[in-house]
């Protein structure tokens, strides 16, 4: 309480007064140690090293904030839905802390505008920068103000104003559609590969789906229907897209390789296969010309006794000579 009073008194004299006010609008309180929040808003593309050579960016705070969010939202969901089973509670928490939700919150709350990153990163395929910064800010708030401040922030600011927890809880999430939507947005190829179909010990059919994104193995899932297996595999893949930057890098590296191959023009190889003496022979008629860039012929069966048309005699003689010269020896 005393620190809050002191922070309000000092505010008019702060060098970074605008940042303090922006953060207060977001988290609901004035920061005490602004360093935590500045680090939370520092993307890895703008990371710098401290005096001991340690790279400074928001990744460690993102890790901390992710854990704090899971605990707080789990606590809130548990209290809000008494009597609900573990599966319902887990799904509801997942919907609230999923990357799409955090990205939307970061955009609506103005967090994206405060992120310190280079211009290239803002326009790259990294669509999770806002959500990552949101988690990092929660981590900063935890270090600066403690667990209770984080819970108050989530209860009043997020679930009290921006998210209707009841609507979220009972809204069905189609993970496959979400994954396909992500693939379309980023123009990557996604394949749902049925790798195995069998029966369980009770004779019920089971399906195993493996997801491939640009040929990179994504999540896999097993279910009593293809749809169920696809949903499970998609959910796992979306989690990897949220948490695993190496997975994302591999996907876009594969995409880059594919698009590069598709854009490369076919190389036309021209090779003179006819002797110069034959090439120099003048044709008697304008139709008797030879294309030296593309050469293809088929042998005439011996049984074919149809007479050759005089119009093509010269041309066929030249081709026959060319065959003999090309395949000699």
């Amino acid at each position: 309480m005393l620190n809050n009073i002191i922070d309000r008194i000092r505010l008019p004299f702060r060098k970074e007064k605008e940042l303090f006010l922006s953060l207060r609008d977001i988290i609901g309180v004035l920061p005490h140690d602004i360093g935590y929040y500045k680090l939370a808003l520092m993307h890895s593309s703008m990371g710098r090293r401290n005096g001991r050579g340690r790279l400074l960016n928001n990744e460690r705070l993102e890790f901390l904030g992710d854990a704090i969010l899971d605990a707080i939202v789990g606590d809130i969901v548990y209290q809000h839905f008494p009597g609900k089973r573990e599966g319902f509670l887990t799904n509801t928490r997942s919907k609230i802390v999923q990357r799409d939700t955090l990205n939307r919150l970061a955009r609506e709350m103005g967090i994206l505008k405060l992120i310190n990153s280079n211009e290239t990163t803002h326009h790259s395929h990294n669509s999770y920068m806002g959500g990552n910064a949101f988690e990092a800010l929660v981590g900063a708030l935890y270090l600066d103000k403690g667990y209770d401040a984080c819970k108050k922030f989530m209860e009043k600011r997020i679930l009290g104003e921006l998210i209707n927890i009841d609507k979220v809880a009972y809204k069905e999430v189609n993970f496959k559609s979400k994954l396909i939507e992500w693939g379309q947005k980023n123009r990557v190829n996604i394949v749902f590969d049925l790798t195995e179909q069998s029966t369980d010990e009770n004779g019920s059919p089971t399906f195993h789906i493996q997801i491939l994104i640009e040929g990179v193995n994504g999540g896999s899932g097993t279910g009593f229907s293809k749809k169920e297996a696809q949903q499970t595999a998609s959910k796992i893949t979306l989690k990897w897209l949220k948490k695993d930057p190496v997975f994302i890098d591999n996907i876009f590296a594969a995409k880059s390789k594919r698009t590069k191959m598709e854009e490369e023009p076919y190389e036309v190889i021209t090779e003179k296969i006819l002797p110069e003496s034959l090439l120099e022979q003048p044709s008697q008629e304008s139709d008797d010309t030879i294309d030296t860039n593309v050469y293809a012929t088929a042998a005439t069966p011996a049984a074919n006794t149809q007479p050759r048309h005089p119009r093509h005699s010269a041309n066929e003689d030249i081709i026959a000579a060319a065959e003999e010269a090309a395949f000699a020896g």
Side-chain angles (χ1 to χ4, degrees), residues 236-256:
I236 294 172
T237 304
L238 288 170
K239 184 176 181 180
W240 290 359
L241 290 172
K242 170 186 175 183
K243 298 290 185 181
D244 192 346
V246 175
F247 178 56
I248 299 176
D249 289 342
N250 289 339
I251 290 172
F252 282 92
K255 174 192 173 183
S256 178

Side-chain angles (χ1 to χ4, degrees), residues 120-313:
T120 303
T121 305
H122 268 293
H123 294 89
S124 73
H125 61 261
N126 183 8
S127 59
Y128 302 137
M129 186 168 59
N132 294 343
F134 183 95
E135 288 180 336
L137 278 177
V138 172
L141 180 60
Y142 172 75
L143 293 177
D144 189 35
K145 301 286 186 178
Y147 181 88
D148 289 341
C150 292
K151 188 175 181 182
K152 184 177 179 181
F153 164 66
M154 288 301 299
E155 286 179 325
K156 293 189 175 182
R157 184 76 172 95
I158 304 302
L159 298 176
E161 299 176 8
L162 300 175
I163 294 178
N164 186 317
I165 189 172
D166 294 295
K167 286 185 178 180
V168 169
Y170 293 103
K171 180 181 179 181
E172 181 65 26
V173 175
N174 189 327
F175 296 106
K176 180 182 178 181
S177 295
K178 287 288 184 182
L179 182 60
I180 293 175
E181 182 181 329
W182 180 89
Q184 291 173 341
K185 180 179 180 181
N186 292 279
R187 298 182 180 180
V188 299
N189 295 331
I190 300 177
V191 175
F192 295 83
D193 187 17
L194 177 63
T195 59
E196 185 179 348
Q197 182 175 345
S198 59
T199 56
D200 64 6
E201 55 188 15
N202 298 318
S204 300
T206 59
F207 304 86
H208 186 82
I209 295 292
Q210 172 68 56
I211 291 178
L212 299 171
I213 307 181
E214 292 291 346
V216 178
N217 282 337
S220 61
T222 302
F224 293 112
S225 67
K226 291 181 182 179
K227 181 179 179 181
E228 182 182 355
Q230 290 172 347
Q231 282 286 86
T232 301
S234 298
K235 182 177 180 180
I236 294 172
T237 304
L238 288 170
K239 184 176 181 180
W240 290 359
L241 290 172
K242 170 186 175 183
K243 298 290 185 181
D244 192 346
V246 175
F247 178 56
I248 299 176
D249 289 342
N250 289 339
I251 290 172
F252 282 92
K255 174 192 173 183
S256 178
K257 184 177 180 180
R258 171 180 61 80
T259 54
K260 183 179 180 181
M261 292 177 62
E262 291 175 351
E263 291 172 357
E264 285 182 350
Y266 289 105
E267 184 178 1
V268 178
I269 301 176
T270 60
E271 181 179 356
K272 291 183 178 179
I273 62 174
L274 303 182
E276 291 293 336
S277 59
L278 292 178
L279 291 176
E280 293 174 356
Q281 290 183 3
S283 57
Q284 297 179 356
E285 295 185 44
S286 59
D287 290 339
D288 296 332
T289 58
I290 300 175
D291 185 353
T292 59
N293 290 339
V294 181
Y295 177 71
T297 184
T300 304
N304 187 355
T305 58
Q306 293 182 0
R308 295 182 299 173
H309 196 287
R311 181 183 181 84
H312 301 293
S313 298

Side-chain angles (χ1 to χ4, degrees), residues 48 63 77 93 106 119 146 181 212 259 298:
R48 54 183 176 80
F63 164 80
V77 169
R93 181 185 62 185
E119 194 68 20
E181 182 181 329
L212 299 171
T259 54

